[in-house]
């Protein structure tokens, strides 16, 4: 096949081995400081034509003033955006361009993209395709960023994505476990290998990716601080052609979603004890696996020491929800529950926003406005004593329990009650039995005493400590 010139953008020629060579001249070699030529290869003529078009746009050999919207979106992504975006954001932007903008508006010259045209486009997307107001907002946010650079380069006088009347984005509803549901989940978590991490999230507000990306080097047991430094997620691979038949996702370990997400979180004594007990579980895994064990350094690991994928861990989480007899809350509900309990207990907004890694206090307050309504009721109830004499509610007392898993049973002891020691076939049965025994012991006392703090209870390897309310 002879050389094919296509609008002065380069050439395609077929080699003797059957493949196709794509050439583009006039590309700047920044190391040599001169113009040069680049050459790429494709298996078929169709792939070569697509490659030539892509290269002519991204390397700048096509006259930029003649670009269509579709070409500009490709050019903006490659030259200005790709190296500054997280992989998940890249994939979202590429999907927006491929599924929405290019089919309808991709062939329009940049200069013909007007506010009216965009308004009609979004109206169609809402009324005909049923896109949500949130999706429309995301589409326009992406387009606005791309066209803003076109304004800076003088290709268009103003940004047409700025002067639109978009549908109002409703605040999403969030799932929060009640205190009773949270208690049931915590109790059930002791029956599962990975229950320790459910309790950790309830005590820290970590996102799932932050939890799975946590490494032991990120936990300081001297200061009892946990540092969020990276996330582990399975993401789509950007830039794949439509006819690609191989794997389309990959595990990506990268910094968190924003600078604010890089943060340190103090650990409660019970969380520290949980992590120390879990480390002994990992040591037992390593002994059992021998040479097959991978010392990956991750905190959340499978029995062979490797990381756990988000979908797999979500399956474990739903197993624990089933053990607790709860509906399948999404995992993010644990983070919302942490934030809700923190505000209910009186944590100030600035501290909570920092612990959650939010970009602003106002976002935190908007997200958890439901808690403010609860605070209003609590505040007004403080006035109740002015009108009636109420009896204070008796608060349950928490007592530490030391659990030793045995063959087919659980040995349970109460450090504050040396005389209480029992074996139960299940964790749930053991909790009920030891609660009954403690209540009986307390009823025989003339002056009940306080409980031992969890961090003062020493657990041996293979044991772990839990707290029950009596």
């Amino acid at each position: 096949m002879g050389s094919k010139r296509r609008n002065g953008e380069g050439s395609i020629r077929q080699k003797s081995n059957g493949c196709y060579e794509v050439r583009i001249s006039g590309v700047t070699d920044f190391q040599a400081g001169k113009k040069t030529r680049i050459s790429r290869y494709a298996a078929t003529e169709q792939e070569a034509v697509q490659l030539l078009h892509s290269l002519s746009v991204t390397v700048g050999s096509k006259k930029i003033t003649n670009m269509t919207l579709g070409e500009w979106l490709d050019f903006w992504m490659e030259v200005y955006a790709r190296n500054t975006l997280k992989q998940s954001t890249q994939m979202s932007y590429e999907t927006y361009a491929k599924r929405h903008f290019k089919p309808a508006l991709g062939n329009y010259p940049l200069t013909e993209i007007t506010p009216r045209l965009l308004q009609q486009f979004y109206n169609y997307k809402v009324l005909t395709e049923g896109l949500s107001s949130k999706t429309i907002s995301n589409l326009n946010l992406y387009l606005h960023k791309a066209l803003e650079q076109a304004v800076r380069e003088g290709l268009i006088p103003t940004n047409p994505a700025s002067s639109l009347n978009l549908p109002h984005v409703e605040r999403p509803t969030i799932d929060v476990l009640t205190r009773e549901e949270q208690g049931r989940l915590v109790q059930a978590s002791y029956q599962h290998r990975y229950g320790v991490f459910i309790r950790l999230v309830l005590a820290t507000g970590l996102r799932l990716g932050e939890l799975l990306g946590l490494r032991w080097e990120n936990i300081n047991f001297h200061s009892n601080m946990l540092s969020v430094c990276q996330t582990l997620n399975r993401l789509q691979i950007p830039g794949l052609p439509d006819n690609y038949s191989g794997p389309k996702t990959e595990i990506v370990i990268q910094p968190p979603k924003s600078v604010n997400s890089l943060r340190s979180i103090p650990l409660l004594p019970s969380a520290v004890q949980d992590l120390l007990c879990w480390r002994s579980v990992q040591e037992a895994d390593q002994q059992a696996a021998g040479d097959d064990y991978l010392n990956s350094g991750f905190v959340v690991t499978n029995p062979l020491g490797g990381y756990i994928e988000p979908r797999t861990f979500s399956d474990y989480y739903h197993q624990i929800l089933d053990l607790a007899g709860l509906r399948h809350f999404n995992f993010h509900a644990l983070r919302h529950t942490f934030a809700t309990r923190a505000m209910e207990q009186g944590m100030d907004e600035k501290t909570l926003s920092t612990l959650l890694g939010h970009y602003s206090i106002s976002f935190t307050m908007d997200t958890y406005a439901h808690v403010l309504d609860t605070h209003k009721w609590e505040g007004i109830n403080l006035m109740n004593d002015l009108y009636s004499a109420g009896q204070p509610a008796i608060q349950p007392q928490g007592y530490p329990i030391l659990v030793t898993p045995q063959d087919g049973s659980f040995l349970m002891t109460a450090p504050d009650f040396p005389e209480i020691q029992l074996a139960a076939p299940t964790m749930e049965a053991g909790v009920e039995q030891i609660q009954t025994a403690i209540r009986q012991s307390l009823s025989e006392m003339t002056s009940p005493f306080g409980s031992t703090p969890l961090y003062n209870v020493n657990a041996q390897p293979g044991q772990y400590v839990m707290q029950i309310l009596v």
Side-chain angles (χ1 to χ4, degrees):
M1 170 179 164
S3 176
K4 290 188 177 182
R5 296 287 175 180
R6 301 179 184 276
N7 300 323
E9 297 175 0
S11 65
I12 299 175
R13 67 176 182 175
Q14 188 173 21
K15 305 287 286 185
S16 60
N17 61 3
C19 71
Y20 291 82
E21 181 184 15
V22 179
R23 291 182 176 182
I24 292 184
S25 301
V27 180
T28 301
D29 183 337
F30 291 103
Q31 183 175 9
K34 62 181 181 180
K35 297 286 186 177
T36 186
R37 181 180 66 187
I38 62 173
S39 179
R40 299 287 188 272
Y41 294 90
T44 67
E45 183 178 3
Q46 181 181 4
E47 291 177 2
V49 172
Q50 294 176 346
L51 179 59
L52 175 60
H53 176 75
S54 176
L55 288 173
S56 66
V57 171
T58 57
V59 303
S61 61
K62 178 179 175 65
K63 289 185 178 180
I64 200 168
T65 54
N66 297 329
M67 278 190 178
T68 63
L69 175 63
E71 291 171 338
W72 173 257
L73 293 178
D74 289 341
F75 179 82
W76 174 78
M77 173 60 73
E78 294 300 328
V79 176
Y80 290 103
R82 191 174 299 282
N83 292 334
T84 64
L85 298 175
K86 291 187 64 176
Q87 186 168 330
S88 57
T89 307
Q90 290 182 39
M91 285 304 307
S92 294
Y93 285 0
E94 289 181 0
T95 300
Y96 296 160
K98 179 180 177 181
R99 293 185 181 177
H100 300 287
F101 290 110
K102 287 184 179 180
L105 304 174
N107 293 325
Y108 278 70
L110 272 179
T111 53
E112 294 184 16
I113 303 298
T114 64
R116 180 181 298 179
L117 180 63
L118 290 179
Q119 185 69 59
Q120 293 171 335
F121 169 72
Y122 290 136
N123 291 347
Y124 169 82
K125 287 290 181 179
V126 172
L127 298 176
T128 304
E129 297 187 4
L131 296 191
S132 68
S133 56
K134 175 62 175 174
T135 300
I136 296 298
S137 177
N138 290 341
L139 287 173
N140 196 61
L141 178 64
Y142 155 66
L143 184 64
H144 189 280
K145 288 182 179 180
L147 294 182
E148 193 62 27
Q149 184 61 42
V151 173
R152 295 190 188 102
E153 295 197 12
L155 304 179
I156 51 178
T158 59
N159 192 332
S162 297
S163 308
L164 303 174
N165 184 19
L166 300 181
H168 176 69
V169 179
E170 298 292 337
R171 180 184 300 159
T173 58
I174 62 174
D175 268 337
V176 176
L177 278 72
T178 66
R179 288 178 179 263
E180 186 270 338
E181 289 170 334
Q182 182 175 348
R184 287 163 58 188
L185 181 61
V186 169
Q187 292 284 353
S189 70
Y190 287 100
Q191 304 175 47
H192 197 282
R193 170 184 169 92
Y194 296 108
V196 55
F197 301 114
I198 303 304
R199 301 193 295 275
L200 180 63
V201 173
L202 286 170
T204 59
L206 291 175
R207 301 176 178 93
L208 178 56
E210 294 170 344
L211 171 68
L212 300 182
L214 191 64
R215 304 179 70 90
W216 284 112
E217 64 192 43
N218 303 139
I219 300 175
N220 188 328
F221 286 104
H222 295 291
S223 60
N224 288 348
M225 296 289 287
L226 180 154
S227 297
V228 178
C229 302
Q230 63 184 16
T231 64
L232 186 152
N233 295 287
R234 177 166 286 281
L235 302 175
Q236 287 185 298
I237 302 173
L240 294 179
D242 293 340
N243 59 353
Y244 180 75
S245 59
K248 296 184 179 181
T249 63
E250 61 183 350
I251 289 294
V252 177
I253 300 171
Q254 60 188 359
K257 60 187 297 185
S258 68
V259 174
N260 293 308
S261 294
L262 294 166
R263 62 198 189 277
S264 295
I265 304 173
L267 293 172
L268 293 169
S270 57
V272 172
Q273 186 66 43
D274 266 346
L275 287 170
L276 291 174
C277 290
W278 170 253
R279 193 156 64 177
S280 68
V281 172
Q282 282 188 331
E283 291 171 354
D285 287 342
Q286 185 170 8
Q287 291 179 356
D291 293 339
D292 293 331
Y293 191 83
L294 172 65
N295 194 359
S296 63
F298 286 104
V299 175
V300 186
T301 53
N302 59 38
L304 294 179
Y307 63 75
I308 295 180
E309 292 202 21
R311 182 176 297 179
T312 302
F313 192 87
S314 293
D315 290 340
Y316 296 145
Y317 163 62
H318 288 293
Q319 290 173 7
I320 299 173
L321 288 174
D322 288 337
L323 289 172
L326 298 174
R327 68 180 176 89
H328 282 203
F329 293 92
N330 63 54
F331 189 85
H332 213 65
L334 301 184
R335 175 174 164 86
H336 291 320
T337 300
F338 162 79
T340 299
R341 295 291 101 81
M343 292 189 69
E344 289 173 351
Q345 294 299 110
M347 183 181 294
D348 67 272
E349 296 88 347
K350 173 61 177 175
T351 300
L352 177 59
S353 184
T354 300
L355 291 176
L356 291 173
H358 285 167
Y359 64 86
S360 70
I361 299 176
S362 61
F363 177 81
T364 305
M365 300 311 295
D366 288 343
T367 303
Y368 300 106
H370 65 282
V371 186
L372 298 181
D373 291 337
T374 302
H375 284 181
K376 291 176 185 177
W377 279 106
E378 292 175 350
I380 205 68
N381 283 337
L382 295 175
M383 307 290 290
N384 189 52
D385 287 345
L386 296 176
Y387 304 97
S388 63
Q391 294 296 323
I394 300 176
Q395 298 296 323
Q397 175 69 49
Y399 291 94
I401 302 299
L402 193 62
V403 181
T404 306
Q406 298 180 331
D407 292 338
S409 66
F410 296 86
L411 177 63
M412 310 185 76
T413 58
D416 293 323
F417 305 86
E419 72 278 9
I420 297 178
Q421 179 173 319
L422 56 89
T426 66
M427 178 73 71
E428 184 178 10
V431 169
E432 293 179 355
Q433 293 176 25
I434 206 163
Q435 280 179 321
T436 301
I438 290 176
R439 289 194 186 100
Q440 178 63 33
S441 182
L442 289 173
S443 67
E444 297 172 358
M445 297 180 182
T446 56
S447 56
F449 53 86
S451 63
T452 300
L454 285 179
Y455 55 83
N456 283 341
V457 178
N458 294 321
Q460 300 300 317
Q463 295 180 320
Y464 52 87
V465 180
M466 62 182 293
Q467 186 179 62
I468 63 173
L469 299 178
V470 179

